[in-house]
Amino acid sequence: MFLVKVNATSANVCVGFDVLGLALDIQNEFSFEISNEFSFKGFEKQYCTITNNLVYKSYCKVFELLNKKIIPVTISYKGEVPVSRGLGSSSTLIVAGIFGANAILGNPLSKDELFNLACKIEGHPDNVAPAIYGGLIASYKANDCYNTISYEISKDLKFITIIPPYKLSTNEARKALPKFLPYSDIVNNLSRIVNIPYAFKNGDINLLKELFNDKLHEPYRGKLIKDYENIKNDLKDLECAMAISGSGSSMLVITKKTDIVLDKLKKYNYEIKIVGVGSKVIVEEV
Ligand code: HSE
């Protein structure tokens, strides 16, 4: 039997839309045990069928890619990553499915090949890259292949997730985006994303706060997230940087002084917690 442990992610990191992502140490764990037929344990009932289980669908993609006969398994899940909250829950399912299949097959595919398969399934790389490689990571596409570059994170930076009780689907959040944007908005983001690795490496929270001013998605998605503007306003004078996590509904706050931030946020009836940086996906034979 193989265990696959995959961390949550916070995609975009504000100005890095569809490019940058950060792994967080909130974990989902999956197991794959060879069986006579497919079965599912630990998932909500509606996900316990082969037509509606993303781990299963991703698992099968590895067999299809390699032209191999699919080996049935019992897939078990237990986890902490909240669903449809912008913390990469679907990425954990995809990554688990393909790494589980690869392990069952004796690891024919490299990590980079699995990453590219995960990007094809997910549609964009910024959630799956940190789930696979850990930490802060940027992706770019060349010759139809995604590549990644990892960046250092200062130990002084602390991360807080603000998780509302309501879901927001990525589909819905992507529909809220305009089809075209003015050059000035693109330049706003380019001028900021290029400096993000410097701010993370040096733990420069004041710089990070200035860089966290997105014009590509947050102005449009913020309207879908109740209290986004209120929380932003509450935090505006503190030494912290705030962003929508992935496509929402959660928000990510980066600071060196968690107490002051938590104090400002305590009036909100949300799940608010300090989280660490997440590491790469782990596959164990047990
Ligand atoms: N970059 C993606 C988005 C992440 O913001 O839509 C969510 O999958």
Side-chain angles (χ1 to χ4, degrees), residues 10-12 16-20 86 88 90-91 122 124-127 170-171 173-174 177 217 221 245-248:
S10 189
N12 301 325
F17 180 72
D18 275 3
V19 171
L20 203 56
S90 64
S91 280
E122 172 77 353
H124 21 79
D126 50 336
N127 266 324
T170 297
N171 224 353
R174 286 187 92 85
L177 305 179
H217 65 114
R221 289 173 165 175
S245 181
S247 57

Side-chain angles (χ1 to χ4, degrees), residues 162-173:
I162 306 170
I163 309 171
Y166 50 87
K167 298 181 179 181
L168 181 56
S169 81
T170 297
N171 224 353
E172 193 189 335

Side-chain angles (χ1 to χ4, degrees), residues 125-145:
D126 50 336
N127 266 324
V128 288
I132 291 173
Y133 300 99
L136 177 68
I137 188 157
S139 306
Y140 68 92
K141 203 174 191 180
N143 303 321
D144 215 27
C145 182

Side-chain angles (χ1 to χ4, degrees), residues 12-21 126 136-140 151 185-200 207-208 210-217:
N12 301 325
V13 194
C14 195
V15 287
F17 180 72
D18 275 3
V19 171
L20 203 56
D126 50 336
L136 177 68
I137 188 157
S139 306
Y140 68 92
Y151 294 101
D185 287 353
I186 313 290
V187 172
N188 171 85
N189 275 49
L190 288 175
S191 66
R192 286 177 162 75
I193 190 173
V194 71
N195 293 305
I196 289 270
Y198 175 91
F200 265 89
L207 175 60
L208 214 48
E210 283 188 347
L211 299 179
F212 269 37
N213 180 3
D214 169 77
K215 300 266 189 211
L216 300 196
H217 65 114

